[in-house]
Amino acid sequence: MPPLPEKVRIVEVGPRDGLQNERETIPTATKLAFINKLAEAGHSQIEVTSFVSPKAVPQLADAVEVARALTPKAGVIYSALTPNMKGLERAIEAGIRRVAVFTAASESFTKKNINMTIDESFAAFTPVVERARAEGISVRGYVSTAFVCPYEGDIDKTKTLAVTRRLLELGCDEVAVSDTIGAASPKDVFETVGFILKSLPAEKLALHFHDTYGTALANVLAGLQLGITTFDSSAGGLGGCPYAPGASGNLATEDLIYMLERMGITTGLNLAKVAEASSLIAQTLGRRLPSRQWQRLSSSGPC
């Protein structure tokens, strides 16, 4: 095995990407307790909500209330998705200091997701990035369907590179290359991410995997072997995209921690405390979560 990183940063996306597709409304107080528990578990970056139209994502209609009520914690950055200027302005008013914008490597997915072409999506969020940076707010970018699209199939790696490069040139300090429908394999990761790394530095990239086909951890290993040190995950394995048919939950934070720590790679996270955070949501939803490590550790999760 090639040399692996000694330390990895895990970006927790459970409160946003994990909850956005849930039908049952989760109380704001429960979301805040969930976020606080994740911070106590050692997370340094937590994506807490999305400032989108409540009609588009009803579960996150309380974005302002959540952001304003966050408990500051030394060393913890709370971020939010801000797809347009209105969303950014709401985020600024609510005290958010790190935001994220998104597009895709697939024209069909971008059209289905936000009713824009890729170029139109850049035109829409370019002023968002410029305003955020002018306000001293850092910006992350997402490239959805970076490997496989539910409408177009396999995505040409040159398209993923082009979109990733544009996001960095626009001012994003990091880009999450995302397997939105969880269909990628390690071969796809080596081919696409390896191709991107010929032009762009590894420290500017993160990987965001869903686990629809059970390949997320294998894809993380491929990313590690390529030198990537930032990975997104969701507590309990919560998640799914309303605009990506067939996509299941994100890579579970607990499972990622276990694998990395078992491999001697430091995460700075407490697995048991992350599982406690997941249990809070499991009890609210009234169902067991897909994370294998959560199931192993939880003695109170609903059956």
Side-chain angles (χ1 to χ4, degrees), residues 3-292:
L4 298 177
E6 295 181 358
K7 184 177 181 180
V8 157
R9 176 169 63 102
I10 295 176
V11 177
E12 176 59 54
V13 299
R16 195 278 299 176
D17 198 13
L19 299 182
Q20 68 178 6
N21 208 33
E22 293 294 336
R23 294 182 179 179
E24 180 180 342
T25 300
I26 298 173
T28 301
T30 301
K31 292 178 183 177
L32 289 166
F34 180 42
I35 294 166
N36 287 336
K37 284 181 175 294
L38 291 169
E40 291 169 0
H43 277 293
S44 61
Q45 187 169 323
I46 305 171
E47 195 171 70
V48 295
T49 191
S50 178
F51 288 87
V52 295
S53 167
K55 292 182 180 179
V57 187
Q59 185 60 259
L60 304 181
D62 59 351
V64 171
E65 291 79 4
V66 167
R68 285 179 173 168
L70 291 170
T71 302
K73 184 176 176 61
V76 180
I77 298 172
Y78 299 113
S79 65
L81 210 62
T82 55
N84 51 45
M85 188 61 75
K86 183 177 180 180
L88 175 64
E89 290 173 349
R90 293 172 64 212
I92 292 172
E93 292 173 1
I96 293 294
R97 302 303 299 168
R98 180 165 176 78
V99 299
V101 296
F102 62 91
T103 185
S106 159
E107 291 283 5
S108 298
F109 183 80
T110 309
K111 190 70 174 177
K112 290 279 188 179
N113 191 10
I114 55 177
N115 197 30
M116 295 181 185
T117 65
I118 293 173
D119 285 343
E120 287 170 343
S121 73
F122 271 93
F125 65 65
T126 291
V128 174
V129 176
E130 293 173 346
R131 170 73 185 282
R133 286 170 57 83
E135 296 278 348
I137 295 171
S138 61
V139 185
R140 185 186 218 219
Y142 281 97
V143 181
S144 297
T145 56
F147 304 95
V148 186
C149 171
Y151 310 106
E152 296 183 12
D154 292 344
I155 297 298
D156 190 316
K157 59 191 177 185
T158 62
K159 293 182 178 180
T160 302
L161 170 61
V163 175
T164 302
R165 189 195 305 277
R166 287 179 71 178
L167 284 166
L168 291 172
E169 290 176 347
L170 183 59
C172 295
D173 57 51
E174 176 180 84
V175 175
V177 179
S178 308
D179 182 22
T180 310
I181 62 171
S185 72
K187 180 175 181 289
D188 300 307
V189 177
F190 280 120
E191 290 183 350
T192 296
V193 180
F195 181 71
I196 293 172
L197 289 172
K198 292 179 181 179
S199 304
L200 302 174
E203 58 266 26
K204 293 291 185 179
L205 303 180
L207 293 177
H208 180 113
F209 295 120
H210 285 236
D211 203 29
T212 308
Y213 294 93
T215 58
L217 286 175
N219 290 339
V220 168
L221 179 57
L224 290 168
Q225 292 174 325
L226 288 168
I228 302 299
T229 58
T230 299
F231 297 89
D232 295 0
S233 64
S234 175
L238 289 162
C241 178
Y243 301 100
S248 65
N250 291 273
L251 167 60
T253 303
E254 294 92 336
D255 297 349
L256 179 56
I257 294 170
Y258 176 82
M259 186 185 84
L260 292 173
E261 296 282 356
R262 179 71 179 173
M263 293 170 68
I265 300 172
T266 301
T267 64
L269 297 174
N270 184 306
L271 174 56
K273 288 188 176 181
V274 173
E276 288 179 13
S278 299
S279 292
L280 175 66
I281 296 299
Q283 291 164 8
T284 302
L285 297 175
R287 70 168 190 268
R288 292 186 69 80
L289 302 180
S291 167
R292 292 176 176 82

